[in-house]
PDB file of all heavy atoms in Angstrom:
ATOM      1  N   ASP M 181     -15.936   4.285 -10.962  1.00  0.00           N
ATOM      2  CA  ASP M 181     -16.556   4.158 -12.221  1.00  0.00           C
ATOM      3  C   ASP M 181     -17.335   2.909 -12.341  1.00  0.00           C
ATOM      4  O   ASP M 181     -16.961   1.904 -11.816  1.00  0.00           O
ATOM      5  CB  ASP M 181     -15.507   4.288 -13.357  1.00  0.00           C
ATOM      6  CG  ASP M 181     -16.121   4.754 -14.687  1.00  0.00           C
ATOM      7  OD1 ASP M 181     -16.901   3.902 -15.380  1.00  0.00           O
ATOM      8  OD2 ASP M 181     -15.791   5.841 -15.173  1.00  0.00           O
ATOM      9  N   ASP M 182     -18.396   2.821 -13.133  1.00  0.00           N
ATOM     10  CA  ASP M 182     -19.240   1.635 -13.278  1.00  0.00           C
ATOM     11  C   ASP M 182     -18.781   0.823 -14.478  1.00  0.00           C
ATOM     12  O   ASP M 182     -19.344  -0.243 -14.639  1.00  0.00           O
ATOM     13  CB  ASP M 182     -20.757   1.964 -13.428  1.00  0.00           C
ATOM     14  CG  ASP M 182     -21.076   2.867 -14.510  1.00  0.00           C
ATOM     15  OD1 ASP M 182     -20.264   3.728 -14.910  1.00  0.00           O
ATOM     16  OD2 ASP M 182     -22.218   2.699 -15.172  1.00  0.00           O
ATOM     17  N   GLN M 183     -17.828   1.322 -15.286  1.00  0.00           N
ATOM     18  CA  GLN M 183     -17.394   0.547 -16.429  1.00  0.00           C
ATOM     19  C   GLN M 183     -15.989  -0.020 -16.097  1.00  0.00           C
ATOM     20  O   GLN M 183     -15.028   0.704 -15.783  1.00  0.00           O
ATOM     21  CB  GLN M 183     -17.269   1.513 -17.572  1.00  0.00           C
ATOM     22  CG  GLN M 183     -18.612   2.003 -18.109  1.00  0.00           C
ATOM     23  CD  GLN M 183     -19.554   0.860 -18.597  1.00  0.00           C
ATOM     24  OE1 GLN M 183     -19.111   0.014 -19.354  1.00  0.00           O
ATOM     25  NE2 GLN M 183     -20.810   1.000 -18.273  1.00  0.00           N
ATOM     26  N   GLN M 184     -15.884  -1.335 -16.231  1.00  0.00           N
ATOM     27  CA  GLN M 184     -14.701  -1.999 -15.808  1.00  0.00           C
ATOM     28  C   GLN M 184     -13.466  -1.453 -16.616  1.00  0.00           C
ATOM     29  O   GLN M 184     -12.362  -1.301 -16.076  1.00  0.00           O
ATOM     30  CB  GLN M 184     -14.813  -3.523 -16.037  1.00  0.00           C
ATOM     31  CG  GLN M 184     -13.514  -4.311 -15.560  1.00  0.00           C
ATOM     32  CD  GLN M 184     -13.321  -4.166 -14.086  1.00  0.00           C
ATOM     33  OE1 GLN M 184     -14.206  -4.496 -13.257  1.00  0.00           O
ATOM     34  NE2 GLN M 184     -12.152  -3.761 -13.741  1.00  0.00           N
ATOM     35  N   ARG M 185     -13.688  -1.206 -17.851  1.00  0.00           N
ATOM     36  CA  ARG M 185     -12.507  -0.770 -18.623  1.00  0.00           C
ATOM     37  C   ARG M 185     -12.008   0.618 -18.154  1.00  0.00           C
ATOM     38  O   ARG M 185     -10.917   0.881 -18.299  1.00  0.00           O
ATOM     39  CB  ARG M 185     -12.802  -0.718 -20.171  1.00  0.00           C
ATOM     40  CG  ARG M 185     -13.961   0.136 -20.495  1.00  0.00           C
ATOM     41  CD  ARG M 185     -14.300   0.001 -21.996  1.00  0.00           C
ATOM     42  NE  ARG M 185     -15.471   0.741 -22.482  1.00  0.00           N
ATOM     43  CZ  ARG M 185     -15.983   0.724 -23.660  1.00  0.00           C
ATOM     44  NH1 ARG M 185     -15.302   0.024 -24.607  1.00  0.00           N
ATOM     45  NH2 ARG M 185     -17.064   1.446 -23.984  1.00  0.00           N
ATOM     46  N   ASN M 186     -12.901   1.425 -17.663  1.00  0.00           N
ATOM     47  CA  ASN M 186     -12.537   2.775 -17.126  1.00  0.00           C
ATOM     48  C   ASN M 186     -11.855   2.618 -15.816  1.00  0.00           C
ATOM     49  O   ASN M 186     -10.869   3.383 -15.521  1.00  0.00           O
ATOM     50  CB  ASN M 186     -13.715   3.682 -16.983  1.00  0.00           C
ATOM     51  CG  ASN M 186     -14.366   4.008 -18.409  1.00  0.00           C
ATOM     52  OD1 ASN M 186     -13.707   3.913 -19.444  1.00  0.00           O
ATOM     53  ND2 ASN M 186     -15.632   4.425 -18.342  1.00  0.00           N
ATOM     54  N   VAL M 187     -12.260   1.558 -14.985  1.00  0.00           N
ATOM     55  CA  VAL M 187     -11.644   1.332 -13.715  1.00  0.00           C
ATOM     56  C   VAL M 187     -10.281   0.864 -14.097  1.00  0.00           C
ATOM     57  O   VAL M 187      -9.287   1.301 -13.336  1.00  0.00           O
ATOM     58  CB  VAL M 187     -12.489   0.279 -12.909  1.00  0.00           C
ATOM     59  CG1 VAL M 187     -11.647  -0.214 -11.803  1.00  0.00           C
ATOM     60  CG2 VAL M 187     -13.808   0.893 -12.609  1.00  0.00           C
ATOM     61  N   ASP M 188     -10.068  -0.055 -15.008  1.00  0.00           N
ATOM     62  CA  ASP M 188      -8.827  -0.555 -15.301  1.00  0.00           C
ATOM     63  C   ASP M 188      -7.887   0.623 -15.803  1.00  0.00           C
ATOM     64  O   ASP M 188      -6.660   0.553 -15.482  1.00  0.00           O
ATOM     65  CB  ASP M 188      -8.888  -1.621 -16.503  1.00  0.00           C
ATOM     66  CG  ASP M 188      -9.546  -2.902 -15.977  1.00  0.00           C
ATOM     67  OD1 ASP M 188      -9.754  -3.089 -14.862  1.00  0.00           O
ATOM     68  OD2 ASP M 188     -10.071  -3.626 -16.893  1.00  0.00           O
TER      69      ASP M 188
END
Side-chain angles (χ1 to χ4, degrees):
D181 199 292
D182 62 324
Q183 296 296 316
Q184 184 64 56
R185 59 184 174 182
N186 295 340
V187 172
D188 292 343

